[in-house]
Amino acid sequence: ARESMDNPPQTPTLLAPSPAGDRSAAKVAMPFVTSGIAACFASFCIHPIDLAKVRLQLFAVQNPGVPKPTFVSLLSNMVAEQGITSVYAGLSASFLRQAIYGTARMGIHRTLSDMLVARNGGQPIGFELKAASSMTGGALAVCVGTPFDVALVRMQADTMKPAAERRNYSNAVNAIGRIATEEGYSALYKGLAPNIFRGMAMNVGMMACSDQAREVMLKLTGDDPKHPSLTTRLGAAATGGFFASFLSLPFDLIKSRLQDMKPGPDGKVPYRGLAHCAGSILTKEGPLAFWTGFGAYFTRSAPHAMIILLTIDEVKKVYTKTFHVE
């Protein structure tokens, strides 16, 4: 009794030091490695849809006054006129981007989220902490991955332009090198501000919302949290895909416009920055223009989220067996 009075039980708090655990290199690296592999695999699967999304967003700028094609007709015309490989334009940039940006944004979120859960005595954390964790991961990852995002947008949009205006990058490394040499290193960070907002919005939708949905579905289905059913996993991924699409598309549109812009005949660029670009879109195209290509964007984001989350689970199984970590 005396001992219990001298050492009263401590209630776990989020500010308490996290419990000591397996902090081996393999354990620390696990969320990053599994996220990177899953992100690259998902990007390969949905690259044609992502390509169509970018082209639809830039169509009004490059073809003023021309009615926008549908998502299906755009891809069909590309295959008919340029061959099936045309729908994989910019794939090398996509892989590089996901290997860095995708790895960081999901790996940082999962690492921070797991730390918060540990500090909370192993109990689930609130949505506000999930959102804070995911926004931190999204913002930090964007700062590292934006040059690869600029290269990806440029390569995806290049074949839409007249032959005389094409940049003709051979691959992602060539694109990044030429952009830095011809336009300066600052050009590699065009659209950084909207990209940071997009990354934060994307991660809140995809990671925080899917984590929250997974908790709700586990309660509804009674699944074992360590071994959730396919229904639970798909439902959580679909929820994350929808909110990731809805929240991030306006910033994705602005980002694409800023990253692809080039000086006109008078030497002036069409947009002076984030606020000017947003105001111009709102004034000239209307508020719904911020969700231009939502069908293609959602068609990309929802399967992308599902493929990533399902693939991560499978990669984790192999990873834990290989490196003997939990």
Side-chain angles (χ1 to χ4, degrees):
R2 175 73 179 178
E3 183 179 350
S4 63
M5 290 178 65
D6 292 339
N7 299 285
Q10 298 295 314
T11 302
T13 68
L14 295 179
L15 298 179
S18 58
D22 181 4
R23 303 306 295 167
S24 66
K27 178 71 173 180
V28 172
M30 184 168 71
F32 295 93
V33 174
T34 55
S35 295
I37 293 173
C40 287
F41 178 70
S43 288
F44 175 79
C45 295
I46 57 84
H47 188 81
I49 300 173
D50 190 47
L51 176 71
K53 179 265 298 181
V54 170
R55 293 195 172 202
L56 285 172
Q57 289 178 340
L58 300 176
F59 192 87
V61 177
Q62 298 182 357
N63 303 275
V66 178
K68 290 179 183 177
T70 64
F71 167 69
V72 175
S73 65
L74 179 66
L75 287 178
S76 298
N77 290 337
M78 287 180 63
V79 172
E81 296 172 6
Q82 304 171 44
I84 189 65
T85 57
S86 64
V87 300
Y88 278 95
L91 183 61
S92 62
S94 182
F95 278 157
L96 271 175
R97 176 177 179 270
Q98 290 300 333
I100 295 173
Y101 167 69
T103 297
R105 77 178 177 91
M106 291 183 285
I108 292 172
H109 162 72
R110 187 56 60 208
T111 299
L112 292 177
S113 179
D114 288 348
M115 288 174 60
L116 290 170
V117 169
R119 291 172 186 271
N120 199 34
Q123 298 301 309
I125 56 176
F127 180 76
E128 70 282 358
L129 291 176
K130 293 186 181 79
S133 171
S134 59
M135 284 192 288
T136 300
L140 292 176
V142 165
C143 292
V144 177
T146 291
F148 302 96
D149 198 47
V150 172
L152 175 60
V153 169
R154 294 276 188 96
M155 292 176 72
Q156 288 179 331
D158 208 36
T159 55
M160 290 178 66
K161 300 175 180 178
E165 297 180 13
R166 293 177 186 172
R167 298 180 173 104
N168 295 314
Y169 301 125
S170 58
N171 54 53
V173 175
N174 173 257
I176 292 173
R178 281 182 51 192
I179 292 169
T181 302
E182 297 169 6
E183 305 172 46
Y185 285 99
S186 62
L188 291 171
Y189 284 89
K190 280 183 178 179
L192 179 61
N195 211 10
I196 288 176
F197 284 115
R198 174 191 176 275
M200 293 169 70
M202 175 69 74
N203 242 24
V204 169
M206 179 178 169
M207 304 304 293
C209 289
S210 65
D211 284 354
Q212 192 70 25
R214 189 174 178 126
E215 286 182 14
V216 171
M217 294 194 70
L218 284 172
K219 292 178 180 178
L220 294 175
T221 61
D223 290 346
D224 178 356
K226 293 185 178 180
H227 303 286
S229 66
L230 182 61
T231 300
T232 295
R233 292 159 63 194
L234 285 173
T239 301
F242 173 79
F243 283 105
S245 303
F246 183 78
L247 296 174
S248 67
L249 181 54
F251 300 110
D252 190 77
L253 176 72
I254 295 171
K255 171 190 70 72
S256 294
R257 297 278 181 97
L258 290 174
Q259 289 178 343
D260 190 59
M261 69 178 179
K262 59 193 307 184
D266 58 357
K268 296 181 179 179
V269 293
Y271 308 116
R272 295 191 297 271
L274 170 63
H276 181 250
C277 181
S280 178
I281 294 171
L282 181 63
T283 303
K284 297 178 181 178
E285 303 174 49
L288 293 180
F290 288 108
W291 282 272
T292 295
F294 180 77
Y297 192 67
F298 177 75
T299 303
R300 170 202 179 275
S301 295
H304 191 256
M306 291 182 181
I307 292 170
I308 284 178
L309 295 171
L310 293 174
T311 304
I312 282 179
D313 288 340
E314 298 307 313
V315 174
K316 277 182 179 177
K317 293 177 184 178
V318 176
Y319 190 96
T320 54
K321 289 180 180 179
T322 303
F323 295 98
H324 308 290
V325 295
E326 292 296 333

